[in-house]
Amino acid sequence: MESVNIKKLAQILNLSISAVSKAMRDSHDISKETKEKVLALATELNYQPNPYASSLRKHKSKTIAVIIPEIANNYFTLAINGIESIAQEKNYHVLIYLTHEDVKKEIALTKYLHGGRVDGVLISVSSTTTDYSHLHQLEENGLPIVFFDRVAECFNTVKVTTDDYESSYLATKHLIDQGCKKPAHLAMSDNISIGKKRKKGFVQALIDHGIPADESLIVECVNNDAADLDMIKQLLHEQRPDGVFAAVEQYALCVYEACQQFKLSIPREVKVICFSNLKTAAYLQPSMTTITQPAYEIGKEAAAILFKALEKKHFVLKDENIVIKSALMARASTMSDV
Amino acid sequence: MESVNIKKLAQILNLSISAVSKAMRDSHDISKETKEKVLALATELNYQPNPYASSLRKHKSKTIAVIIPEIANNYFTLAINGIESIAQEKNYHVLIYLTHEDVKKEIALTKYLHGGRVDGVLISVSSTTTDYSHLHQLEENGLPIVFFDRVAECFNTVKVTTDDYESSYLATKHLIDQGCKKPAHLAMSDNISIGKKRKKGFVQALIDHGIPADESLIVECVNNDAADLDMIKQLLHEQRPDGVFAAVEQYALCVYEACQQFKLSIPREVKVICFSNLKTAAYLQPSMTTITQPAYEIGKEAAAILFKALEKKHFVLKDENIVIKSALMARASTMSDV
């Protein structure tokens, strides 16, 4: 099928290109009869206005970018579904970009976003991002940015997160309440805003309960399953903690693997709790106690705020932290007296 | 910061706009000295060519669309990572679209893809898609399409799948070999190419082993956890199968839930096997026997073929079925004599 352009429509209808264009945009300059004729033919021939030409005219791409570190992660897939739920309502398209935790990729793709390709950005920064110039540049070019989950505190914009510090404090207290005398923490990189907060919550809970916050009981994982498993095995072997609070679900699954290899019983010898949106947490052997994050709601809220900024002419994104609470779901992996 | 355009660069350098544009594109018409001057200033001012204007000129968006039914699914997240691995290599951007199994959304977004917004499409069709006119229209407009996983047989293009029929036959035979006399099948919608093949593999294995293929032992799930759980509970209650082969991992997790509620022992009373890319399959209670699909490889292969079509001027996508084999991972959920 030959593709139909506006020139062709104009030829067939014996109208000027400008008249057809105005008719398509429902202009007052064009009579109702002409508009109906144009629309009928456009529908018949499946005419689609060229999106780039139309973007140039309106300076609107009707597209937002979502930048995330990875996709094989229940948290981010849920957050994307939350974002999508709003974008579809607003008739916006969502461009999903993965940085694979690599700041170089993050920089390359933010460069690509300059110049009108998208109208706004939702971002959860990579674990290797320590300098934010590339994101400041986007902001300076007038592109609204909303952070979610992994935020950059130095930006004067909205950041949507869960209560990372409080939930981590609660998770650690839960281990102590269930009888742990020597809990360990599997931490995210200190570069990551939420990693820092989760570690802080762990340390404070220990201090408040008279347990020394021994640095050797805090292991910073690297998001590589094999390497993380090795570090966790070393931790279990050398320190023999009686509880583990994992900042990320994947680290907790490595604890399950290590305990299976060492024939250590969860929860009798080691209790396990972690931040997780794993659908199968309840069916694990043993079922896993989780801090369940409102990932869908966080994505939805971040998107709703971005769209406010896009829709209202004089809406300015304020420096604001929006916190949506997580919930502790106690299951067998932290049970006492077993 | 004021945004820098090509006109501004030309003014500052006292060159024509066309000369700057040619210099940016490394044209032979422009001297090396001029090119260096232009490039230095463009770098200094962080000039980004307008992507839409440049797309209009080159008729290339350097973007591909990936259309999938859902994202909260390990198969698709792995497939996307496979697609991404190739796209990043080729310096292409990946637009991910979710149809949420709704053909109306699929139609709406394929309309949006007309007119140069993307250069090619990778698609796994929704379960409610029975008419393919919207995809034929894309093809007629010259957009290369490669199908993966859920394919439309009627298209003369490449389709990348796993060996759904053979794997389903093998899964069913495995249940029978492990002692099942009355296996049931939790099927996908018959609309879906792979759903049909998986059911066929199940039925054929029963016939070949002298077991009547009773229709009441085949339940078509609807991808709603609550509704699927109800149907599965009814199946377990009324038919009491001694084995279940689930076409989708989510259905198998509903079987785990139902057995927990009914206090039925897996694998003693009901054996379970399913298509799954669940990372936690080995840690479930009991660990779950799976048909593990090469999801990453399928995504990678589909993308590699699409890029061949995009890069070579006269490359035509042939009507070809590429099959990458799945692997049966036997675990506790199908163990005999327990």
Side-chain angles (χ1 to χ4, degrees):
Chain A
M1 194 177 84
E2 201 192 337
S3 112
V4 179
N5 58 27
I6 198 159
K7 200 170 151 191
K8 184 106 175 228
L9 290 183
Q11 273 175 354
I12 298 173
L13 293 165
N14 203 15
L15 289 168
S16 72
I17 290 176
S18 136
V20 174
S21 169
K22 282 180 177 170
M24 294 295 291
R25 280 178 287 134
D26 203 17
S27 159
H28 291 295
D29 298 351
I30 306 293
S31 74
K32 201 174 153 234
E33 291 70 36
T34 306
K35 278 182 201 166
E36 279 169 2
K37 267 204 305 195
V38 170
L39 222 66
L41 186 67
T43 307
E44 189 191 325
L45 299 181
N46 191 37
Y47 166 69
Q48 297 294 331
N50 183 319
Y52 295 118
S54 134
S55 294
L56 277 174
R57 199 170 50 236
K58 289 186 291 180
H59 299 292
K60 284 248 177 183
S61 65
K62 287 292 247 179
T63 306
I64 62 166
V66 177
I67 303 174
I68 55 173
E70 48 163 338
I71 207 168
N73 173 309
N74 297 295
Y75 177 87
F76 288 117
T77 55
L78 286 169
I80 286 173
N81 279 347
I83 291 165
E84 276 268 333
S85 74
I86 300 284
Q88 293 212 347
E89 209 176 89
K90 304 285 183 187
N91 266 314
Y92 261 68
H93 294 271
V94 177
L95 252 161
I96 299 171
Y97 289 106
L98 310 180
T99 60
H100 297 284
E101 304 281 12
D102 183 350
V103 68
K104 288 196 296 294
K105 281 184 193 146
E106 198 175 277
I107 292 170
L109 68 88
T110 49
K111 281 201 175 159
Y112 172 82
L113 297 180
H114 285 283
R117 205 175 280 267
V118 300
D119 298 340
V121 177
L122 293 170
I123 182 168
S124 189
V125 297
S126 96
S127 59
T128 54
T129 306
T130 50
D131 179 291
Y132 300 99
S133 327
H134 56 297
L135 299 177
H136 280 297
Q137 204 115 60
L138 282 183
E139 212 181 27
E140 284 163 10
N141 283 353
L143 214 56
I145 304 178
V146 171
F147 289 86
F148 70 101
D149 191 47
R150 302 178 180 189
V151 306
E153 301 288 0
C154 53
F155 279 76
N156 292 325
T157 183
V158 178
K159 299 135 204 157
V160 187
T161 61
T162 191
D163 54 343
D164 290 285
Y165 172 82
E166 291 78 6
S167 291
S168 298
Y169 187 98
L170 200 68
T172 313
K173 184 177 176 301
H174 176 74
L175 286 177
I176 298 167
D177 289 346
Q178 297 300 100
C180 292
K181 308 252 176 279
K182 194 181 177 183
H185 178 46
L186 302 177
M188 301 166 90
S189 159
D190 250 1
N191 284 343
I192 305 175
S193 57
I194 58 172
K196 218 179 287 178
K197 284 187 183 168
R198 289 177 189 185
K199 187 156 93 180
K200 219 169 138 190
F202 170 76
V203 170
Q204 193 57 49
L206 292 191
I207 293 171
D208 290 355
H209 292 81
I211 298 176
D214 187 343
E215 272 296 325
S216 64
L217 284 164
I218 299 175
V219 171
E220 195 175 293
C221 292
V222 294
N223 294 314
N224 169 303
D225 280 359
D228 289 342
L229 180 62
D230 277 348
M231 286 196 286
I232 289 164
K233 281 165 76 174
Q234 198 183 342
L235 170 76
L236 290 175
H237 181 71
E238 291 175 4
Q239 304 291 335
R240 198 48 83 87
D242 56 4
V244 176
F245 160 44
V248 174
E249 130 200 327
Q250 196 43 44
Y251 309 161
L253 296 176
C254 288
V255 176
Y256 271 59
E257 169 73 33
C259 285
Q260 206 170 70
Q261 288 187 22
F262 284 162
K263 301 203 186 317
L264 282 169
S265 155
I266 304 173
R268 204 167 42 76
E269 291 164 288
V270 183
K271 299 193 199 312
V272 179
I273 184 170
C274 72
F275 273 89
S276 171
N277 288 88
L278 199 62
K279 234 179 161 178
T280 54
Y283 308 119
L284 293 184
Q285 162 72 310
S287 64
M288 186 162 70
T289 299
T290 58
I291 301 283
T292 303
Q293 300 169 82
Y296 183 90
E297 291 74 18
I298 287 174
K300 203 173 156 180
E301 181 69 20
I305 289 162
L306 181 64
F307 280 109
K308 257 195 206 162
L310 293 179
E311 285 177 344
K312 297 201 178 160
K313 248 191 176 155
H314 302 291
F315 186 91
V316 176
L317 287 164
K318 278 179 297 192
D319 185 7
E320 189 183 357
N321 289 301
I322 294 175
V323 176
I324 308 178
K325 282 189 180 181
S326 290
L328 195 156
M329 315 284 277
R331 298 198 184 89
S333 69
T334 55
M335 229 154 20
S336 56
D337 50 60
V338 278
Chain B
M1 196 177 82
E2 200 192 338
S3 112
V4 180
N5 57 27
I6 199 159
K7 200 170 152 189
K8 184 106 175 226
L9 290 183
Q11 274 173 355
I12 297 173
L13 293 166
N14 201 17
L15 289 169
S16 71
I17 290 176
S18 135
V20 173
S21 169
K22 282 180 177 171
M24 295 294 293
R25 280 179 288 134
D26 202 18
S27 157
H28 292 296
D29 298 350
I30 306 293
S31 75
K32 200 173 155 235
E33 291 71 36
T34 306
K35 278 181 199 166
E36 279 169 1
K37 268 203 305 195
V38 171
L39 222 66
L41 186 68
T43 307
E44 189 191 325
L45 299 181
N46 192 36
Y47 166 69
Q48 298 293 333
N50 182 319
Y52 296 117
S54 132
S55 292
L56 276 175
R57 203 169 46 238
K58 288 186 292 179
H59 298 292
K60 284 251 178 183
S61 65
K62 288 292 248 178
T63 305
I64 61 165
V66 178
I67 304 174
I68 55 173
E70 49 162 337
I71 206 167
N73 172 308
N74 297 296
Y75 177 87
F76 288 117
T77 56
L78 286 170
I80 286 173
N81 278 348
I83 292 165
E84 275 269 333
S85 74
I86 300 283
Q88 292 213 348
E89 210 176 87
K90 304 284 182 188
N91 267 314
Y92 261 69
H93 293 271
V94 178
L95 253 161
I96 299 171
Y97 289 105
L98 309 181
T99 59
H100 298 284
E101 303 282 12
D102 183 350
V103 66
K104 288 195 296 293
K105 281 183 192 147
E106 199 175 276
I107 292 170
L109 66 88
T110 49
K111 280 200 175 158
Y112 172 81
L113 297 180
H114 284 282
R117 204 175 279 268
V118 300
D119 298 340
V121 177
L122 293 169
I123 183 167
S124 189
V125 298
S126 95
S127 59
T128 53
T129 305
T130 49
D131 179 292
Y132 299 100
S133 329
H134 56 298
L135 300 177
H136 279 298
Q137 204 117 60
L138 283 182
E139 212 182 26
E140 283 163 9
N141 283 352
L143 215 56
I145 304 179
V146 171
F147 289 86
F148 69 102
D149 192 46
R150 303 178 180 188
V151 306
E153 301 289 358
C154 54
F155 279 77
N156 291 325
T157 183
V158 178
K159 299 135 203 158
V160 187
T161 60
T162 190
D163 54 344
D164 290 284
Y165 172 81
E166 291 78 6
S167 292
S168 299
Y169 187 97
L170 201 66
T172 312
K173 183 176 177 303
H174 176 73
L175 286 178
I176 298 167
D177 289 347
Q178 297 300 100
C180 291
K181 308 250 176 280
K182 195 181 175 183
H185 178 46
L186 302 176
M188 302 167 88
S189 159
D190 249 2
N191 284 342
I192 305 176
S193 57
I194 58 173
K196 218 179 289 180
K197 283 187 183 168
R198 290 177 189 183
K199 187 156 92 179
K200 217 169 138 190
F202 170 76
V203 170
Q204 193 58 47
L206 292 192
I207 293 171
D208 289 354
H209 292 80
I211 298 176
D214 187 344
E215 272 296 324
S216 64
L217 284 164
I218 299 175
V219 172
E220 195 175 294
C221 292
V222 294
N223 294 313
N224 171 302
D225 279 0
D228 289 341
L229 181 61
D230 277 348
M231 286 196 285
I232 289 164
K233 281 165 75 174
Q234 197 184 341
L235 170 76
L236 290 175
H237 182 70
E238 291 176 3
Q239 303 292 335
R240 199 46 86 84
D242 55 6
V244 176
F245 160 44
V248 174
E249 128 201 328
Q250 197 41 45
Y251 309 160
L253 296 176
C254 289
V255 177
Y256 271 59
E257 170 72 34
C259 285
Q260 208 169 69
Q261 288 186 22
F262 284 162
K263 301 206 187 317
L264 282 170
S265 156
I266 305 173
R268 204 168 41 78
E269 290 163 288
V270 183
K271 301 195 199 309
V272 180
I273 184 169
C274 72
F275 273 89
S276 170
N277 288 87
L278 199 62
K279 235 179 160 177
T280 55
Y283 307 120
L284 293 184
Q285 163 70 316
S287 64
M288 186 162 68
T289 298
T290 58
I291 300 284
T292 303
Q293 300 168 83
Y296 183 89
E297 290 73 17
I298 287 173
K300 204 171 154 180
E301 181 69 18
I305 289 163
L306 181 64
F307 280 111
K308 257 195 208 163
L310 293 178
E311 286 178 344
K312 298 203 178 159
K313 249 188 178 159
H314 302 291
F315 185 91
V316 176
L317 288 164
K318 277 178 298 192
D319 185 8
E320 190 182 358
N321 289 300
I322 294 174
V323 176
I324 308 179
K325 283 188 179 182
S326 290
L328 194 156
M329 316 283 278
R331 299 198 184 90
S333 69
T334 54
M335 225 147 32
S336 56
D337 51 63
V338 279

